[in-house]
DNA sequence: GCCATAACGAGAGCACTGCTCTTGCTTTTT
DNA sequence: AAAAAGCAAGAGCAGTGCTCTCGTTATGGC
């Protein structure tokens, strides 16, 4: 049992090592990751890697999950809370707007530090790739964090009064909010989601070269402008 | 010369045919397009394709340019104008907000009709792929269209007065606006660009599965909500 | 402690890819 | 009519994901 523990541990280490090398390859060669090249770097036969990951897709899925978690952790650290933190748990005195901006800038910094990992999770999914169930949990960390920050700000009265929204989409937002962020009115769920959408679009546009030949100088200002716009729609003051 | 014209014409036809088959493959197999498979479908040797496209990247670039133009044309048709139309040229009596919503919904419809073409231009760029100069013209059609719609609406007094923006990013927006959309104040250039960013993020999120397990019912309503938010930031009324 | 069993690593092999080069043929140009 | 250029086909190279087989090593039950 302890011996078997040794086996399991060395296997876990090997798995981590493969992922680490794969991440390194990803950072240089981009998305078309070569399993054989990874194996070569590790000094092992390519067939041996299949003992740890059944396919290249499975390796990519593992990297995707790790990337989502890494991004989520970075945003949460900057916000000083998680999606499930009780309101005002850290009580660091920051407003919702400050936390929102800190979290979104942290997401951008994370993406700039490793563009290929961002591309891995927010770029075009590989053709036949159907996101496994394991990914959707980590994938929602950032959006749930934003929603929580907004919900807590709402609880502290930091959000301007606006007319509630109506219609079919509002109904759906109500159901979504009920499930993930109870206590937040549909308008806030909708604008928080909008902020997340805007966030991903803003970072992707910057990273994927969509801003070339237009915004070249002040890209941090560009991003700040996007996020302050999103915050304005939420009503954060 | 007429004979040479024949040669040139059959070459152009062949080029189009290759692109058409490649597009068909793209729609089924996704981004990892196989040049050999395209050649097989055309009943020719793979080496023959290289007479028309020097590499797989070059074929992809051609498809990218076509996709940008196709998307741009769809949005322009819905808006009833182009980026360079004189204000009120069509004079169809529609407001700027109506044109903005029509154009953006047309972009979404275009993307939904052929998700892989959208992924080709707004998904993660292939690793070493540096967008050639030829692509940036077609790539800017949609954003320039939005800017033009906003500028014309501004000229007709359809935009709420807001405080002008300041700072380094505002300076850069002023320069960008000067070059591409003269007559529009920096705040409008900035919010028009924001709308474009939000647009691309909203469509990508929908297409790339980011909305799974949250917004499932009313995705058109979801998109409309995003675009009305963007229009609100612009000040379209 | 012994031994069947399971996990593991290596290598060969298959079908596929992008791309190059050579060879023969056709069309255009001089 | 001769020369030049364009074109298509096939072989070939290096690389890929993945499978299968075959020795080796570690693990757990007796």
């Amino acid at each position: 049992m302890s011996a078997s523990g040794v086996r399991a541990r060395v296997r876990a280490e090997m798995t981590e090592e493969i992922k680490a090398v794969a991440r390194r390859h990803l950072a240089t060669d981009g998305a078309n990751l070569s399993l054989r090249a990874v194996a070569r770097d590790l000094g092992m036969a390519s067939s041996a890697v299949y003992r740890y990951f059944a396919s290249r897709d499975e390796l990519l899925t593992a990297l995707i999950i790790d990337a989502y978690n890494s991004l989520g952790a970075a945003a949460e650290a900057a916000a000083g809370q998680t999606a499930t933190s009780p309101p005002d748990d850290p009580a660091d005195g920051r407003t919702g707007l400050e936390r929102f901006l800190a979290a979104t800038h942290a997401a951008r910094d994370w993406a700039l530090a490793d563009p290929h990992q961002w591309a891995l999770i927010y770029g075009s999914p590989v053709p036949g790739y159907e996101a496994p169930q394991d990914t959707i949990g980590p994938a929602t960390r950032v959006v749930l964090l934003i929603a929580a920050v907004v919900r807590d700000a709402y609880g502290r009265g930091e959000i301007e009064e606006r007319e509630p929204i109506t219609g079919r989409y509002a109904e759906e937002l109500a159901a979504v909010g009920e499930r993930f962020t109870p206590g937040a009115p549909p308008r806030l769920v909708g604008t928080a989601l909008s902020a997340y959408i805007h966030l991903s679009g803003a970072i992707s546009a910057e990273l994927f070269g969509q801003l070339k030949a237009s915004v070249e100088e002040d890209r941090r200002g560009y991003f700040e402008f996007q996020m302050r716009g999103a915050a304005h729609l939420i009503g954060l003051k």
Side-chain angles (χ1 to χ4, degrees), chain A residues 6 9 15-16 66 72 82 84 88 108 120 148 169 179 200:
Chain A
V6 167
R9 206 198 56 203
T15 305
E16 272 321 303
D66 285 2
T82 72
T84 55
D88 283 328
R108 173 172 175 266
L120 196 61
Y169 182 54
R179 189 144 61 100
S200 66

Side-chain angles (χ1 to χ4, degrees), chain A residues 3-25:
Chain A
S4 132
V6 167
R7 225 239 237 290
R9 206 198 56 203
V10 66
R11 183 183 173 85
E13 278 171 10
M14 195 70 209
T15 305
E16 272 321 303
E17 201 167 347
I18 292 173
K19 286 199 291 186
V21 173
R23 251 188 297 269
R24 236 182 43 215
H25 270 79

Side-chain angles (χ1 to χ4, degrees), chain A residues 121-142:
Chain A
I121 54 184
Y122 287 101
S124 26
V126 282
Y129 188 82
E130 187 65 22
Q133 204 67 14
D134 333 13
T135 64
I136 71 165
T140 53
R141 276 178 76 165
V142 172

Side-chain angles (χ1 to χ4, degrees), chain A residues 90-127:
Chain A
D92 57 7
R94 286 191 295 168
T95 66
L97 177 60
E98 286 167 338
R99 292 187 196 192
F100 171 76
L101 290 176
T104 53
H105 271 291
R108 173 172 175 266
D109 292 340
W110 183 93
L112 287 178
D114 200 338
H116 289 97
Q117 288 212 47
W118 174 272
L120 196 61
I121 54 184
Y122 287 101
S124 26
V126 282

